[in-house]
């Protein structure tokens, strides 16, 4: 009888770490700092290690001595995070500022994934007048000695997760009352830099109105062409 060769599965500890797993470890470290389990120096050192880690096992080593790492977690995505596979891994738009500035603002079409990098520079992503063709938009932001500002209409949902190494990561949580409203999710790291996500008061998402206007224009053109 021929026996088929079976490849042993790769141990979980040797798997490549994902952004979601890095975010989970960073959240545990942040809570440990707030609880006094880690000093500021220990927290900074471990966060630097999290950024450099390549595998799940390397990540887990940074929280092995913390109680939160052994608590049972409910399965599923983090609050506000799109489900796995809902948003492509490749960005629709890259906004890069290296010793310079870069801006996306005005009437522009927001893709499902936007990557923003500020290295000794500043990036502004203003979605307050953007066309949302998708309900879920992910912005991955990395700031190194730089500044990234993200603005959204006040009637969308805004969530974020990330951290800073001697830097600031701050995203104002915002939940829209409309279940069909776009959801903007910001994930990132600030290394001696700044990342901020805020609603722009008085600005409302206008893509629905824009679609209605285009439909009216098409109907009008059809009527005139008769």
């Amino acid at each position: 009888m021929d026996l088929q060769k079976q490849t042993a599965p790769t141990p979980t500890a040797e798997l490549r770490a994902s952004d979601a797993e890095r975010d989970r470890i960073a959240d545990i470290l942040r809570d440990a700092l707030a609880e006094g389990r880690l000093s500021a120096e220990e927290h900074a050192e471990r966060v630097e290690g999290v950024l450099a880690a390549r595998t799940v096992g390397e990540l887990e080593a940074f929280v092995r001595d913390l109680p939160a790492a052994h608590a049972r977690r409910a399965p599923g995505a983090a609050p506000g995070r799109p489900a796995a596979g809902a948003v492509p891994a490749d960005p629709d738009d890259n906004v890069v500022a290296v010793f310079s500035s870069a801006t996306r603002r005005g009437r522009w079409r927001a893709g499902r994934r936007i990557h923003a990098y500020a290295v000794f520079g500043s990036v502004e992503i203003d979605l307050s007048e953007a066309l949302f063709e998708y309900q879920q938009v992910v912005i991955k932001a990395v700031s190194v000695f730089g500044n990234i500002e993200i603005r959204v209409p006040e009637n969308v949902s805004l969530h974020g997760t990330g951290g800073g190494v001697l830097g600031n990561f701050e995203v104002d949580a915002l939940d829209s009352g409309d279940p069909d409203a776009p959801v903007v999710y910001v994930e990132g790291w600030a290394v001696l830099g700044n990342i901020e996500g805020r609603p722009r008061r008085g600005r409302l998402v206008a893509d629905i109105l824009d679609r209605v206007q285009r439909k009216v224009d098409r109907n009008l053109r059809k009527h005139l062409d008769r």
Side-chain angles (χ1 to χ4, degrees):
M1 182 176 63
D2 293 335
L3 295 177
Q4 294 181 343
K5 280 188 175 181
Q6 293 185 351
T7 303
T10 303
T12 301
E14 297 178 11
L15 295 176
R16 288 272 184 168
S18 69
D19 288 342
E21 287 159 339
R22 285 192 178 85
D23 291 342
R24 180 177 67 84
I25 298 299
D27 288 343
I28 293 175
L29 293 175
R30 185 181 62 242
D31 292 343
L33 175 64
E35 294 167 358
R37 299 182 188 275
L38 293 176
S39 67
E41 292 77 12
E42 289 173 324
H43 176 263
E45 181 180 349
R46 294 193 188 197
V47 169
E48 287 180 10
V50 168
L51 289 171
R54 298 176 61 188
T55 67
V56 173
E58 291 174 358
L59 282 178
E60 295 291 346
F62 293 106
V63 295
R64 194 169 293 146
D65 59 345
L66 299 175
H70 305 282
R72 181 172 295 180
R73 302 191 310 274
R81 180 188 295 276
V87 176
D90 296 328
D92 299 303
D93 194 6
N94 283 303
V95 188
V96 181
V98 180
F99 288 97
S100 61
S101 61
T103 303
R104 292 288 186 278
R105 68 160 75 114
R107 202 71 171 148
W108 61 292
R109 298 182 184 278
R112 284 178 289 183
R113 178 178 285 274
I114 303 167
H115 286 183
Y117 302 95
V119 182
F120 289 95
S122 63
V123 169
E124 179 187 1
I125 297 177
D126 189 342
L127 295 163
S128 60
E129 297 181 15
L131 289 172
F132 285 86
E133 296 184 324
Y134 305 97
Q135 187 180 25
Q136 295 178 320
V137 177
V138 172
I139 301 176
K140 182 175 181 179
V142 177
S143 173
V144 180
F145 287 96
N147 182 64
I148 298 177
E149 292 186 1
I150 299 161
R151 298 293 182 264
V152 302
E154 66 176 353
N155 62 336
V156 306
S157 292
L158 175 65
H159 297 279
T161 186
V165 180
L166 299 179
N168 176 61
F169 177 91
E170 188 175 355
V171 174
D172 288 350
L174 182 66
D175 288 303
S176 174
D178 182 359
D180 295 324
V183 179
V184 178
Y185 188 87
V186 181
E187 55 185 24
W189 288 96
V191 181
L192 290 165
N194 180 63
I195 298 173
E196 291 184 357
R198 301 275 190 276
R200 189 177 289 280
R201 300 301 177 188
R203 295 295 180 89
L204 304 178
V205 64
D207 60 321
I208 297 176
L209 296 177
D210 187 80
R211 292 173 189 172
V212 171
Q213 185 60 50
R214 289 201 300 269
K215 185 175 181 180
V216 170
D217 290 343
R218 285 197 300 269
N219 291 338
L220 181 59
R221 284 196 296 271
K222 287 180 182 178
H223 178 76
L224 294 176
D225 291 338
R226 288 178 181 174

